[in-house]
Amino acid sequence: MKRNIILVVLATLLLSSCGEYNKLLKSTDYDYKYEAAKCYYTAGKYSKAATLLGDIIMQLKGTDKAEESLYMLAMSSYNQEDYVTASHYFTTYYTSYQKGTYSELSRFMSGKALALDTPEPRLDQTNTAKAIQELQAFVDIYPQSKFKNEAQQIIYSLQDKLVTKEFYSAKLYYNLGTYMGNNYSSCIIVAQDALKDYPYTKLREELSILIVRSKYEVAIQSIIDKKTDRYRDAIDECYAFKNEFPESKYTKEVDKIFAEASQTIKTTKE
């Protein structure tokens, strides 16, 4: 007990001395480093805390200080915005200490850290999918957690990224048109898959109008034997769009496509 008090006092003194910190880095007194790391952590000096904890984390394994050290190391990385490293340590914590003091929080923070490291929608979204998986696992394991609502909101925001990525892909296919093939069909597939996977997306109307436009373009580009069926398909899509979005800003465009497709079918029959 007396030794612990002495270590806390000495570690506290370190906070005002860079020279003492440099000496500490070379020290082999793991208890001393641990107490110093706690002081740095409490003072918000997460870089120094993380460096010290990283030096001793393996040596403390199996001791009564191991659990708290790992959690502080994870939080120190998180507070330095090193989210990938933070997630790694949070994951290590909750897998090592399934009934630990910070087990629930660590599982939540692991997913949150991954979410904060996800890129903007135009880039690869592999990490976004991983973050969703981690957070969903948290919600499933801790359905009564006080962090549940925040976790779900993060999941929704990450899903928005994924569907936005799909929207950009669908729009690109549409803009490519007939360049090196019929890209309108690809636009339809991507947009329909996005609507199936994320039926409540805010981009539902935007994805739906791309499908209407693309089906009409597919009809225009079709061979004579398939034109009538393709135009009818476009007309059906117009009906579906207007039923779902009766006040849409695209109503006039959809009406025009409907009228032109209907006229083309009528002319073909004559």
Side-chain angles (χ1 to χ4, degrees):
M1 181 68 178
K2 184 181 293 185
R3 174 175 168 76
N4 287 339
I5 295 174
I6 293 173
L7 288 173
V8 170
V9 173
L10 290 175
T12 303
L13 293 174
L14 285 171
L15 297 177
S16 60
S17 173
C18 291
E20 289 300 320
Y21 173 73
N22 290 331
K23 291 180 182 179
L24 182 64
L25 291 175
K26 301 176 183 178
S27 174
T28 57
D29 189 334
Y30 302 130
D31 288 332
Y32 186 33
K33 279 190 172 183
Y34 168 75
E35 295 297 343
K38 287 182 68 174
C39 286
Y40 284 123
Y41 179 83
T42 302
K45 297 186 177 183
Y46 300 113
S47 177
K48 290 183 177 180
T51 299
L52 292 175
L53 291 167
D55 285 346
I56 63 176
I57 198 71
M58 294 304 297
Q59 285 74 21
L60 294 179
K61 191 173 183 180
T63 72
D64 59 349
K65 300 178 177 66
E67 182 180 341
E68 187 176 29
S69 294
L70 185 54
Y71 174 74
M72 287 194 297
L73 182 54
M75 285 301 300
S76 293
S77 299
Y78 179 86
N79 286 318
Q80 292 180 86
E81 299 183 4
D82 185 357
Y83 298 123
V84 173
T85 300
S87 181
H88 166 72
Y89 285 128
F90 282 126
T91 301
T92 302
Y93 178 93
Y94 74 69
T95 53
S96 300
Y97 307 100
Q98 296 182 16
K99 295 184 179 180
T101 304
Y102 309 104
S103 183
E104 177 183 335
L105 178 58
S106 290
R107 187 175 279 274
F108 167 67
M109 291 299 294
S110 176
K112 184 176 181 179
L114 285 176
L116 289 170
D117 191 61
T118 56
E120 61 97 7
R122 293 183 186 276
L123 302 178
D124 180 72
Q125 295 300 306
T126 300
N127 287 342
T128 303
K130 290 180 180 178
I132 291 174
Q133 183 178 17
E134 187 76 8
L135 288 165
Q136 188 59 57
F138 166 78
V139 172
D140 293 340
I141 294 171
Y142 300 102
Q144 304 302 321
S145 174
K146 65 179 181 180
F147 303 111
K148 178 183 176 181
N149 288 339
E150 184 179 354
Q152 288 180 323
Q153 289 305 312
I154 296 173
I155 290 173
Y156 295 149
S157 67
L158 293 175
Q159 288 177 335
D160 283 343
K161 278 192 175 185
L162 294 182
V163 73
T164 300
K165 171 78 170 178
E166 295 304 294
F167 170 69
Y168 286 150
S169 295
K171 193 172 183 180
L172 176 61
Y173 279 124
Y174 180 80
N175 290 336
L176 286 172
T178 56
Y179 178 72
M180 296 183 70
N182 190 339
N183 294 289
Y184 296 118
S185 296
S186 296
C187 174
I188 294 169
I189 293 171
V190 172
Q192 287 179 333
D193 285 346
L195 290 174
K196 180 180 178 181
D197 293 337
Y198 310 101
Y200 304 110
T201 175
K202 297 175 183 178
L203 291 172
R204 187 171 182 84
E205 184 177 354
E206 301 300 323
L207 287 163
S208 296
I209 191 61
L210 282 177
I211 295 173
V212 172
R213 292 169 180 166
S214 295
K215 285 196 172 184
Y216 181 55
E217 293 294 338
V218 166
I220 293 173
Q221 303 299 326
S222 295
I223 59 176
I224 295 176
D225 290 347
K226 294 185 177 182
K227 275 188 179 294
T228 298
D229 288 341
R230 297 284 171 77
Y231 276 117
R232 283 175 177 159
D233 192 21
I235 289 171
D236 288 343
E237 202 65 44
C238 289
Y239 275 124
F241 184 92
K242 293 186 69 174
N243 285 335
E244 184 171 0
F245 309 103
E247 304 297 328
S248 175
K249 61 183 177 181
Y250 300 113
T251 296
K252 289 184 178 180
E253 179 183 356
V254 173
D255 285 341
K256 182 179 179 181
I257 291 174
F258 177 85
E260 291 179 354
S262 298
Q263 182 60 41
T264 300
I265 291 176
K266 181 179 179 181
T267 303
T268 301
K269 288 182 177 180
E270 295 175 352

